[in-house]
Amino acid sequence: MTADDLAKACSAAMHANDHAAQALGMDIIETRSGYAHLEMTVRKDMLNGHAICHGGMLFTLADTAFAHACNSYNKVTVASGCSIDFAAPGREGDRLKAIAQERHRKGRTGMYDITVYNQKNETLAFFRGKSHQINGVLVDEPEELAPQSAQQENNS
């Protein structure tokens, strides 16, 4: 099993238990070490009083992509802080994609940038998340990958 295979397994395990993401119709498009691409379609029940996508929905999509990227190493990792800046509104029927990319990871902390786009690749939001690793793993790690992951972490 490669590191990217492990990342996919971690992402699948998280999604299986993430009832909020499932209820919002989020799809995992791609996950690899330090990276995640998730998508969802804006439904009528996701609109605010101005008939545009509620900012909380954009935040939730970005936050979920962040979670998949920072948990891709099979170390249970949570947010220690995050912020979002909105650039443009989402509309009913838009297919939103959130791309999460690791910017820095060392020891038990990391920093990730997530950009949310619509189906036209127009930028809707910029999200930055800071992560903190806690105890636990998401999936049982194969013997052949465990020493490699421990060594990679020690070199970080």
Side-chain angles (χ1 to χ4, degrees):
M1 177 182 274
T2 68
D4 286 346
D5 289 336
L6 179 62
K8 289 175 190 169
C10 292
S11 187
M14 284 185 51
H15 190 68
N17 293 313
D18 189 340
H19 303 289
Q22 292 174 29
L24 293 173
M26 290 184 199
D27 297 312
I28 302 164
I29 305 304
E30 181 182 7
T31 308
R32 58 182 188 264
S33 299
Y35 174 92
H37 170 181
L38 274 68
E39 293 186 3
M40 81 176 182
T41 300
V42 179
R43 304 182 311 236
K44 186 174 186 171
D45 63 339
M46 298 175 174
L47 303 180
N48 65 17
H50 301 296
I52 58 176
C53 185
H54 194 290
M57 299 297 168
L58 293 171
F59 182 97
T60 302
L61 177 62
D63 186 48
T64 304
F66 165 49
H68 284 257
C70 70
N71 280 276
S72 63
Y73 300 100
N74 201 28
K75 306 290 183 191
V76 176
T77 305
V78 296
S80 63
C82 54
S83 63
I84 192 166
D85 292 299
F86 300 106
R91 309 270 180 206
E92 184 176 359
D94 279 355
R95 182 71 177 171
L96 305 182
K97 67 179 173 181
I99 305 292
Q101 298 180 331
E102 182 177 283
R103 297 298 181 212
H104 176 77
R105 179 176 170 260
K106 186 166 178 136
R108 296 170 62 100
T109 63
M111 186 175 301
Y112 296 77
D113 285 331
I114 298 84
T115 306
V116 178
Y117 304 92
N118 65 15
Q119 70 279 3
K120 298 175 187 173
N121 283 325
E122 297 168 330
T123 303
L124 303 186
F126 300 96
F127 178 108
R128 174 159 276 186
K130 295 181 277 185
S131 67
H132 181 75
Q133 180 187 313
I134 60 175
N135 293 328
V137 296
L138 296 157
V139 297
D140 291 333
E141 200 164 337
E143 296 274 333
E144 70 270 13
L145 193 56
Q148 179 183 357
S149 293
Q151 185 175 355
Q152 286 175 347
E153 187 173 312
N154 291 335
N155 291 336
S156 296

